Amino acid sequence: MTPMTTEGENPQTTARPAGSARRALVGRLSWGLADQAASSMTNFAVGIYVARSLGVTAFGVFGLAWVTYGVVLSVSRGLATDPLVVRFSGVADAAWRGAVTRSSGTALGVGAATGAACVVIGLALGGRVGPAFACLGVMLPGLLLQDAWRYSFFAAGTGRKAFVSDLVWGVALIPAMVVAARVGSVAAFVLAWGAAAAVAAAYGCLQSGIRPRPTGARGWLREQRDLSYRYLVENVGVSGASQLRAYGLGAIVGVGAVGAIRGAELLLGPFLAVLMGLSLVTVAEAARVLRRAPHRLAKFCLVLGAGQAVAALLWGASLLLVPDGLGEFVLGDVWHSASTLIVPATLGVAGAGLGTGAAAGLRALGAARRSLRSQLFASACYVGGGLGGAAVAGTAGSAWGVAAATVCSSAMWWLHLRAALRERHHDPIPEVRTS
């Protein structure tokens, strides 16, 4: 079977000795882990600071804004950066720069459009939730552009730049959060969080030497439509399910329940954040494995998924040993409600981590139909388990329902990856387009 190649790339000239290729892979993954650690710690610190400053109910409002941002981020990734990672990882610099110009412009356009909608909705809602949504809308362009740079750097194999970008965001957050704490409102914290991201996004322009071109969005969407629209539905399925669960949980149990769930997720933050942004590293690496050693793709995905699941279980086990005094110091009043959800939340993250390995393989194969089917099944299970459990047993029932849903979903991802690998063996997929 002929390995998949990219335009302008000769497999004979790009082949590397096994040891050199392995060292390069370890280096890229190391920067990926460092970047995800920086991103995780930033999100973790923001969550803890807001939880301690606002209390469980106001933290629930912040959580609603957070999951809404997750939905918009998924739209941006599906349309702009997921196709970039799949088709422009490890290509010639000129092809990468041209793609990034249009991809980042698409992300910026998504931020502007959805941000305007959030501002209108926030002003119409009023009350506690409205100002948070309006402020989120103002900050969305910067938030999405910062994320687009991270994807772009990993596609180029320069994860160090993504790591520096996240460090800039973290440093900028320090004074922003101090000012927000003095104001003492959810809206102030949303503005501080987004303003720090905008600083990192501006720095990303300097790092890359590329100016986003929103006018190129239409051409980008037209060229990538065979992947982007399926990835859009798939990604929105993930974040939309989280949003539906959060809104439904708030309606069934109360906004405080949203804060408790978010608190439990914060305790698992290092792994949950890695899971959410995993495609930054793993899809690009899976695509490289597929080009250079396609027979190793299944093993790569298995090691990836199993490693995440085991790490999540170990972290969750360590959380059970945390004394109440330390937990209260970290999360304040949120600790008491969040600590009862550690076991189901851990199982949920472990199940999702196992499935992410298969998801990376499907993305690398360009098996968008199978990937979409898997994600729609996973999203339906997530919403059904989360809200069905809430109706039966409140907040704890929702957490256990989601844990069961992620385990079932993981099995579906692996079944589809197995089928996709068999299909590729019998009918090799065409070359990856790089222009």
Side-chain angles (χ1 to χ4, degrees), residues 1-361:
M1 186 184 301
T2 304
M4 188 169 59
T5 61
T6 60
E7 182 180 321
E9 179 181 15
N10 186 335
Q12 300 301 321
T13 61
T14 58
R16 297 181 182 179
S20 175
R22 190 176 296 112
R23 284 192 296 272
L25 171 61
V26 170
R28 289 191 297 270
L29 288 177
S30 296
W31 280 116
L33 291 174
D35 173 73
Q36 289 300 334
S39 178
S40 299
M41 291 307 298
T42 298
N43 293 334
F44 187 64
V46 169
I48 288 176
Y49 200 74
V50 175
R52 287 179 57 83
S53 301
L54 299 180
V56 66
T57 301
F59 186 56
V61 175
F62 185 84
L64 292 177
W66 187 283
V67 297
T68 302
Y69 157 71
V71 174
V72 178
L73 182 64
S74 297
V75 172
S76 176
R77 288 179 176 177
L79 295 178
T81 50
D82 281 343
L84 176 78
V85 171
V86 170
R87 285 181 167 153
F88 294 89
S89 292
V91 301
D93 184 67
W96 174 82
R97 293 181 71 85
V100 169
T101 298
R102 293 173 293 155
S103 174
S104 59
T106 303
L108 198 57
V110 170
T114 56
C118 281
V119 170
V120 172
I121 292 172
L123 293 176
L125 285 174
R128 281 186 167 185
V129 177
F133 273 69
C135 292
L136 174 64
V138 173
M139 295 292 110
L140 276 174
L143 285 162
L144 298 190
L145 183 58
Q146 194 274 341
D147 186 74
W149 290 133
R150 296 174 69 212
Y151 268 71
S152 301
F153 293 142
F154 277 110
T158 55
R160 175 181 57 83
K161 292 183 178 180
F163 173 70
V164 172
S165 176
D166 274 326
L167 281 185
V168 170
W169 189 359
V171 171
L173 267 171
I174 296 173
M177 284 289 156
V178 171
V179 173
R182 292 181 178 177
V183 177
S185 68
V186 177
F189 279 105
V190 172
L191 284 175
W193 168 53
V199 171
Y203 183 69
C205 294
L206 296 177
Q207 285 179 293
S208 62
I210 295 173
R211 180 179 298 178
R213 186 160 58 90
T215 55
R218 180 175 296 181
W220 174 261
L221 294 175
R222 183 174 59 253
E223 294 168 10
Q224 310 301 329
R225 62 183 179 274
D226 58 323
L227 292 183
S228 62
Y229 292 114
R230 287 195 177 100
Y231 288 160
L232 170 64
V233 176
E234 181 181 331
N235 289 354
V236 171
V238 178
S239 54
S242 297
Q243 191 174 31
L244 286 175
R245 181 208 181 187
Y247 290 166
L249 186 61
I252 295 170
V253 185
V255 177
V258 179
I261 292 291
R262 179 63 188 145
E265 292 173 348
L266 272 177
L267 294 173
L268 288 155
F271 294 99
L272 194 63
V274 166
L275 203 60
M276 291 173 65
L278 198 62
S279 58
L280 287 170
V281 183
T282 56
V283 175
E285 293 306 324
R288 288 185 176 94
V289 171
L290 185 62
R291 287 189 180 100
R292 294 169 181 166
H295 60 284
R296 296 179 181 172
L297 180 63
K299 181 179 178 181
F300 174 85
C301 295
L302 181 60
V303 171
L304 173 67
Q308 287 183 97
V310 171
L313 291 173
L314 291 174
W315 181 262
S318 68
L319 290 175
L320 295 174
L321 304 177
V322 174
D324 287 337
L326 179 58
E328 292 172 2
F329 174 78
V330 173
L331 286 182
D333 294 339
V334 179
W335 167 256
H336 294 288
S337 54
S339 61
T340 62
L341 307 176
I342 289 175
V343 173
T346 297
L347 294 176
V349 173
L354 184 61
T356 301

